[in-house]
Structure formats: C-alpha cells, structure tokens
Amino acid sequence: MATNTYPVRGMHCASCAHIIEKALRKVEGVTSVEVNVGTEAAKISYDESKTSPQHFSAKIEPLGYTLALARSAEEMGMSESEHAAHLGLNQSKTEKLAELAAMKTKIVAVMPMAGVAVLIMAWSILAEFGWASRIPQAWNSSFNMLLALMATYALFVVGRPYLVGVYRFLRHGAANMDTLIGIGTSAAFLYSVVVTLFAEPLRAYVNVEVTYFDVAIVVIAFITLGKYLEARAKLSTGDAIEKLLNLQAKTALVVREGREVEIPIDQVVHGDLIIVKPAGKIPVDGLATEGSSYVDESMVSGEPVPVEKNAGDAVVAGTLNTTGAFTFRATKVGSETLLAHIIKMVEDAQGSKAPIQALADKISSVFVPVVLVIAFGSLGLWLLIGTSSLGFAQALSYGLVSFVGVLVIACPCALGLATPTAIIVGVGKGAREGILIKDAATLEKLHAVTTVVVDKTGTITKGKPELVSFKNFSDKSDDELIAILASLESKSEHPIASAIVSYAAARSIAMRPVEDFIAIRGKGVQGVIAGVEYFAGNARDGSAALQADSIEKGAREGKTPVILATKGKVLAVVMVADAVKSEAKEAVANLHALGIRVVMLTGDNAQTADYIAREVGIDEVVAEVMPKDKLHTIKELQAKGGVVAMVGDGINDAPALAQADVGIAMATGTDVAIESAGITLLHGDLSKLVKAIRLSKFTMRGIKQNLFWAFAYNVIGIPLASGILYPVFGWLLSPVFAGAAMALSSVSVVGNSLRLKAKVL
C-alpha cells in the first residue's frame, strides 16, 4: 500500500476537486483520495499491485485534468535528492509562472475590448434614462458588428477553456466552473449571432435591436481577470515551501582521499567529512569534529543570536555559518535531514483538509448541477410566466439575462478556496515562526483548547541543572571561591558538577590544578589546591549545620545545595537547580489572557512542583506521576468537558500526547519529536505555544469569514440574477455585474487569507 501526493494540472475550482475525487475513487485498488483545490494536488492511497499513478492520470485526462508525474531531475532543474524528497514543487512553480504570463497576455488583449463594450453599454443605458442622446442608427449597426468581432475573439480565443468545459460536460457529464461560464457566454453569443443574421424574419418575435455580444466580452474579460488575480494571489500563499527549499545548500565541500572536493548535495553520503567555511550554508545534518564557529540557527530555533559550535556539537542542514570554519561528519543526508522533515511536514499540512471544510465540499459536490437546474429553470419561468405580462420578446430577453447571470455568478470558486487558502497561509506562517503543524485538523482543534497541560522538565524548566544562587561565607572573593569549587568539580562526572563547571566557564574563570583528588561516594569530592584541602558536596562533619535553614529552604524549592568547605569551616553554599525558562512566566500569563487554564503534570516531588507552579503562575499541579498516570489525568480533564492540549517532549509523554485533543511536542529539532505530535514547537520555546494558539484562532476566524462571504455572494447573487426580485422591486442583475461579483468573490477570499501573513502572533 502506498500513499503519495501528486500535483494536478487543470484545476480551477471546488467542483474540479469533486470531479477528480469521484473519478479516482472508482479506480480498482484506490483506498482513499483527497484532492485539495488550494494546493492543486491529489493525495492518493492505493495498492501498487493493482494500479499506478499513470492509470490515475489516464482516468482523469478525458475530464480535462492530468497528474504531474515524475520527470527527471535534470528536466526539473533539481538535484536528485531534491527531486526525490520534493517531487514537483519547482516544476509547479515554473508552470504557474508560465500560466500567469499566458493569462496576462490574454488580459492585455481582451480588457481594451471590454472597455469599448462597457462604454457602448453605458451610452445605451444613459440614453434609456434620457441622460444622453440615443446612438445614431448608422453607428448602432457599426457598433454591433464591432462588438460581434470582439465577442468572437473573446469567446473563441480568450474563452476557449470555457468552451472546452462545455464540450467535456456534454461528452462526460462532468461540470465545473468552466462549464457554467461556457454555457452562459455561449448562449449570449449564439443568441446575438442568430438575431443579427436573421433580424428580419425574427423581428416579429424578438427584439432584434438587443444583442448580448457586450455581455460575452465583458463577462469573459472579468472572469479571466479574476482568475489571473486569484492565481497570482494563490501563488504567494504557498511561498513558505519555496522559502524553505531556498534554505538548502546546492553543493558540499567534502574531504575525499585527503583532498577537498566540492560535490552536489545529492552525492553526500553518511560519514563524509564536510568542511564549512565562513558564510557557508551547512549542507546536511551532522556532528562537528574539528574547529569552532558560531552558526545562525534561526531557521530552526527562531532565535536570532548565533549558537557556538565546537567538536561534538550537532549541526543542522540549512543553517548558516558565520565567521569561523569547522569540519563535521555527515549523520543524516537527503530526505533524512531536519530541513527535509520540516519541508515534508509543511507540505503535507498545507495539503490536508480541515474538518470545517467538509461542509463546503458537500455543497460544492452538488453545486454545479443545482445551478444548471436553477439557470434553465429561470429561463423557463421567464418564458412561461413573463410572456403573458411582458410579451415573448421582453420575456426572452430577461430570461436570457437571468440564465447567463445565474451561471456566471454561481461559480463555486470562492467556496472551494475559503478553507485551503487560509490553511496554506496559516501553516506557512507557523513554519516561519518555528511552529510545525502536522495537519489542518490539528490547527482547527487548537483554536478551541480550554486547558493546556504542560510537563515541568524541559517545558517549564530548561531540563538541565544550573547554578542558580551563590552565598559567600568567607573573606575570599566570589570568583576565587568559584574557581576552587569548579576546579574540584571538573574532576567529577556528576551532572551537578557539570553545572558548576559550566557556570565558571561562562564567566571565563580559570581552573586551578588539583592534587590528591578523591571522589567520596554519596557525599562529594575533595582535593588539595595550592596546599589547602577543600571539600565540595553535601553536609560533612556537621559543618553545614550553620546553614541548615538556607539549605532546607532551597530543598523545598527543588534546589540541590553544594557546600564548599575546608576542615570545620564553610566557605560557600551554592544552589543547583533545573532553572525555570525565562519565557515561561510570560507564556503562562498570555495563556490566561486567552482564557486557557494551565495544568502542570510532572513526575517530580510535590514540594518542588508547587514552588515552580507558584513562580510561573500555573493554575493546578499534579505531581509524582508516572507516564500512565499522565494519560489518566488527561482523560479526567477531558471527561470534565475540557478540550485539552498536552505539551511534552514528544517521546516520554507519548501516551498522554496521543490521548490529548492536541499533542504538542517541545523539541530542539529532532525528527522523532516532529513525528510524535500534532504540533512541534522548535527550540522548546513555550512562548511559541501561545503563538500557535493565536495562529489557530486567526486562521479559523479567517476561514469562517471566507465561508461567510463565499456563501453570501451566492445566497444573495443567485436569486438576484434569476430575477426572483423583479416582480417586487424591478431588480434584475446584469451578467456583466454577475461576472464582476464572481471574480471579486474569489479574489476577496484569497486576499482575506493573505491577511494572515501580516498578523502579529
């Protein structure tokens, strides 16, 4: 069983998506099909032993669509690794730009014609109201011939896709947006041709002075302009993928047989030694082996300050080296790298469907047939009922206007674009903020979250011990005592010792030689420095009794005391603890501002957990729990009616993350964490959780606004175009205005989605 996503050529609207889904579901071996009009792609799950992508493409080709299947990397201008991991992305971009250029050429040709048609139309309307003199009869014939010529060009050259849509509808019964436009403009054109060529025989039956060449010209011009603006706007909705792709290095400088060789990125293999020079991009993931530098990892972490890299440190593909040079060994290449994982995740999320889209999909699936019935019904009712009061000629004229108007205004483009365009922009914006969203359903759920459950270690706290306080009880300087303490601890492998040594290193305090070093199991370390014997560790010989209150208070706060002493005299007491992250308190306050309750779930002891919770403002603490107990707590919160988001490390908290309505992994960029939860917050920054929830709320608000306007256009426009309000108010919507409204609806929906880019999270 395989699941792949293929770009689809020829898609224009939600009806296209429904037609393709319906056709592909009938193919033997296909288990599921999901076609997204926003990304113009089809995600297909199928049995490889029964069918193939080539069969899919052949199945939908008669309907006017094709799957963009694999071509060689050279044809697509990509390296082999890019081609394998990101099939079709660059090709799609090139094709879209070419399509836009072709559409622009047509618009440049047809818009002046539409301008002339509008001027003639406006002159006729003004003359009807007595606000202008009537068009001279000699001019009228010339104008009609000119409009006929321009309408022929507009319909058969610019409007050719719409005529093809009519042909496919007649042959295969598949109707989409092009079908509606094609039938409407063809009907207006053919009627006008008939009354122009056979004016005298028809004069007794219809008003031969009225033709609709201008309608065909202006409608096609407006619709084509609208499609151009829509396509251009849609192109910018998916720029997150393009920007991520641009982060990839194209070549790597590797050491082969003792020589430095520059090779294409797809030729890098596991274990290669790669040299990174100043201002160079890191081509693949790996571990530094030699040299040091500062690397800009903002692509992954969102942090603008470059991170120091020394031997043993991990480096990530796509990040940027600054001033130094270093060598690293490749550990992950091609589609294994973090950047490739991120691109794949963003691409999948943008192509997925949110549950809220189900309603729009259901309506779109029956929309076009219903509209055709309404359009023909309107024409029939005008002829049936209108003839008796208006006369056949006037009834036919109004009926034709209604017929064309209904077909033009009812195109379901806006309805189909409402959800996917907002999802594409929202997911892309999240990726740029270091918020990786697995699918659209997760993004939709997140906006309704009422309770956020957070792990303590690595989420609220930094996840590693740090020296958090220092008390000096001697006549020596602080730096001198830290130098002595760090020198003793540098000989130990204990995590607390590492925290003290790191503290000294951060302040550039030099180590001192230690003699006669002894590690005392369960108590600490001792050694001789400059002829004096020092001890570092917990209480010894009652020497720490004087500091008992301070030590006890620190223990209640989850801090570990380390005493520096000589025989019988305490020199200093330092406290080592898993420090609270600097952004945690503000993040919890911001969650409260969003009306969200925060619960801390931890395996740590209750005293420590309570202290940390009070420090950052957490509402409830559940301490001393095992992973299975975390799962039970999530279930209890859900049973109380809460929509629960669980924030954890993505590995140890897997059961609870799976149970929560939304699982959120705090990660430093590991592929395991990215795969384990619905949302991954890169760099383990809790403030990104607040941004993720705001992003979800903004995106859902945008989707609802889009759906409202898409429905509103049709709910208001279709009755108006059909002429249902004519008997009461005398209102009848011209197909020209219907075309403008239809184009405006699609452009406004995409434009509203693009507003998300400007939102500050």
Side-chain angles (χ1 to χ4, degrees):
M1 191 67 69
T3 300
N4 292 309
T5 301
Y6 305 97
V8 182
R9 299 174 189 154
M11 285 183 68
H12 303 299
C13 63
S15 296
C16 295
H18 174 69
I19 290 167
I20 295 166
E21 283 185 356
K22 189 176 178 181
L24 292 178
R25 284 195 182 110
K26 292 179 181 177
V27 176
E28 185 184 0
V30 172
T31 55
S32 70
V33 182
E34 195 173 274
V35 180
N36 190 309
V37 69
T39 55
E40 296 179 15
K43 185 178 181 180
I44 309 171
S45 297
Y46 60 97
D47 186 339
E48 293 173 287
S49 65
K50 294 181 178 179
T51 187
S52 67
Q54 288 74 19
H55 188 193
F56 305 149
S57 192
K59 184 74 175 177
I60 61 175
E61 275 176 12
L63 306 176
Y65 314 101
T66 55
L67 296 186
L69 302 178
R71 297 197 332 223
S72 69
E74 290 75 18
E75 284 181 304
M76 295 170 64
M78 302 173 76
S79 71
E80 290 296 336
S81 62
E82 289 174 322
H83 180 255
H86 317 296
L87 185 62
L89 286 173
N90 287 9
Q91 175 192 24
S92 175
K93 173 80 171 181
T94 304
E95 285 183 349
K96 282 295 174 190
L97 290 172
E99 184 182 332
L100 278 173
M103 288 172 73
K104 188 175 182 180
T105 301
K106 290 180 179 179
I107 289 164
V108 169
V110 80
M111 286 311 290
M113 298 180 188
V116 172
V118 167
L119 287 174
I120 296 172
M121 192 186 306
W123 190 349
S124 299
I125 292 171
L126 291 173
E128 284 289 327
F129 287 96
W131 297 341
S133 58
R134 291 194 174 275
I135 300 174
Q137 187 61 37
W139 289 17
N140 204 33
S141 299
S142 300
F143 282 164
N144 199 50
M145 289 306 298
L146 176 63
L147 289 172
L149 289 172
M150 292 193 300
T152 303
Y153 176 84
L155 183 61
F156 291 97
V157 178
V158 180
R160 185 175 178 275
Y162 311 128
L163 296 179
V164 172
V166 176
Y167 167 75
R168 290 200 176 104
F169 170 62
L170 294 174
R171 182 165 182 183
H172 302 287
N176 61 5
M177 164 194 153
D178 290 351
T179 309
L180 299 181
I181 303 299
I183 292 174
T185 52
S186 298
F189 179 81
L190 290 173
Y191 172 84
S192 302
V193 168
V194 170
V195 298
T196 299
L197 295 177
F198 305 101
E200 290 309 317
L202 294 173
R203 192 175 295 276
Y205 305 101
V206 296
N207 184 358
V208 296
E209 304 302 324
V210 177
T211 60
Y212 296 102
F213 290 125
D214 50 1
V215 169
I217 297 166
V218 177
V219 166
I220 287 173
F222 278 176
I223 298 297
T224 306
L225 177 62
K227 287 179 72 173
Y228 171 75
L229 294 174
E230 175 192 313
R232 196 171 69 173
K234 275 176 65 181
L235 199 63
S236 64
T237 62
D239 60 1
I241 291 281
E242 185 184 358
K243 287 178 180 177
L244 288 170
L245 280 170
N246 288 337
L247 292 171
Q248 294 177 316
K250 303 301 179 188
T251 61
L253 188 62
V254 302
V255 178
R256 294 273 173 91
E257 299 177 355
R259 294 186 302 112
E260 293 181 12
V261 183
E262 188 168 12
I263 60 173
I265 188 73
D266 58 296
Q267 293 181 17
V268 176
V269 297
H270 293 101
D272 266 343
L273 283 175
I274 300 170
I275 298 168
V276 183
K277 295 187 175 179
K281 279 184 180 178
I282 294 170
V284 296
D285 292 0
L287 293 173
T289 58
E290 186 182 342
S292 66
S293 182
Y294 284 86
V295 175
D296 179 357
E297 294 188 332
S298 57
M299 176 275 293
V300 171
S301 67
E303 298 297 324
V305 179
V307 179
E308 186 176 8
K309 297 293 180 182
N310 295 300
D313 291 336
V315 293
V316 177
T319 55
L320 185 65
N321 187 28
T322 55
T323 54
F326 64 94
T327 303
F328 74 94
R329 189 176 300 279
T331 57
K332 292 180 180 179
V333 300
S335 60
E336 301 171 340
T337 65
L338 173 63
L339 180 59
H341 274 280
I342 292 173
I343 292 171
K344 184 70 168 63
M345 191 172 185
V346 173
E347 182 188 354
D348 288 346
Q350 288 186 337
S352 63
K353 289 187 178 182
I356 197 172
Q357 192 174 339
L359 175 63
D361 284 349
K362 284 180 182 177
I363 293 172
S364 297
S365 66
V366 298
F367 201 81
V368 172
V370 168
V371 167
L372 285 169
V373 170
I374 292 172
F376 280 105
S378 298
L379 176 58
L381 285 172
W382 272 109
L383 293 175
L384 186 66
I385 300 171
T387 301
S388 59
S389 56
L390 300 173
F392 179 77
Q394 192 68 32
L396 178 61
S397 178
Y398 283 177
L400 193 62
V401 167
S402 296
F403 176 76
V404 178
V406 168
L407 291 176
V408 170
I409 202 168
C411 291
C413 288
L415 195 59
L417 292 168
T419 299
T421 52
I423 292 294
I424 290 167
V425 174
V427 169
K429 186 175 180 65
R432 289 192 294 274
E433 294 279 354
I435 302 163
L436 299 184
I437 299 161
K438 199 169 215 176
D439 54 42
T442 299
L443 187 63
E444 181 176 334
K445 285 181 193 171
L446 187 60
H447 93 285
V449 163
T450 57
T451 303
V452 168
V453 178
V454 296
D455 186 31
K456 179 180 77 70
T457 307
T459 303
I460 298 296
T461 63
K462 294 180 180 178
K464 61 179 182 179
E466 288 185 358
L467 195 155
V468 294
S469 70
F470 178 87
K471 287 190 176 181
N472 187 341
F473 300 103
S474 73
D475 55 0
K476 296 180 183 292
S477 69
D478 289 358
D479 282 0
E480 188 175 358
L481 290 177
I482 290 168
I484 294 168
L485 180 59
S487 298
L488 287 171
E489 297 289 5
S490 67
K491 304 293 183 181
S492 171
E493 295 179 356
H494 197 282
I496 288 176
S498 175
I500 293 169
V501 172
S502 297
Y503 183 86
R507 284 153 184 77
S508 302
I509 296 173
M511 299 291 108
R512 299 183 179 185
V514 180
E515 299 174 348
D516 302 327
F517 175 81
I518 300 172
I520 306 169
R521 187 175 181 83
K523 289 189 175 183
V525 295
Q526 72 179 41
V528 177
I529 297 175
V532 180
E533 186 178 59
Y534 294 95
F535 167 82
N538 54 23
R540 184 188 183 205
D541 299 330
S543 60
L546 295 174
Q547 316 306 325
D549 290 344
S550 174
I551 291 170
E552 187 179 339
K553 181 176 180 293
R556 286 198 302 269
E557 296 173 356
K559 299 172 183 175
T560 302
V562 178
I563 298 158
L564 177 64
T566 58
K567 286 186 178 179
K569 184 179 180 183
V570 174
L571 302 178
V573 176
V574 301
M575 292 290 181
V576 176
D578 183 5
V580 172
K581 291 181 178 179
S582 58
E583 74 277 2
K585 188 172 183 179
E586 183 183 1
V588 170
N590 287 332
L591 288 172
H592 286 156
L594 291 170
I596 294 170
R597 188 162 167 266
V598 184
V599 177
M600 186 166 77
L601 210 54
T602 179
D604 209 342
N605 72 73
Q607 276 193 339
T608 301
D610 285 338
Y611 171 77
I612 297 292
R614 286 195 303 274
E615 190 175 346
V616 299
I618 285 170
D619 301 297
E620 182 184 343
V621 177
V622 183
E624 301 175 12
V625 292
M626 301 297 288
K628 63 178 181 179
D629 300 318
K630 292 185 179 184
L631 175 64
H632 180 67
T633 303
I634 298 293
K635 287 181 177 179
E636 282 185 341
L637 291 168
Q638 290 172 325
K640 293 175 183 176
V643 180
V644 180
M646 168 69 188
V647 186
D649 62 11
I651 303 168
N652 298 332
D653 298 314
L657 285 169
Q659 176 62 37
D661 296 285
V662 180
I664 302 171
M666 303 290 285
T668 52
T670 62
D671 51 359
V672 176
I674 289 174
E675 295 300 326
S676 68
I679 293 176
T680 301
L681 307 179
L682 295 180
H683 201 56
D685 186 345
L686 193 63
S687 64
K688 292 188 189 298
L689 170 60
V690 181
K691 290 184 175 183
I693 294 172
R694 285 178 181 155
L695 175 66
S696 175
K697 289 181 181 293
F698 287 146
T699 304
M700 289 309 300
R701 192 178 304 146
I703 289 172
K704 288 172 182 176
Q705 289 167 348
N706 287 348
L707 287 172
F708 170 79
W709 286 113
F711 280 120
Y713 274 113
N714 288 306
V715 168
I716 296 169
I718 291 176
L720 193 60
S722 68
I724 199 170
L725 300 179
Y726 183 82
V728 181
F729 300 104
W731 293 349
L732 190 62
L733 185 68
S734 165
V736 171
F737 293 108
M742 180 273 188
L744 180 63
S745 68
S746 297
V747 175
S748 63
V749 161
V750 178
N752 189 50
S753 296
L754 287 172
R755 285 194 314 117
L756 281 170
K757 286 187 174 184
K759 291 283 187 183
V760 178
L761 298 181

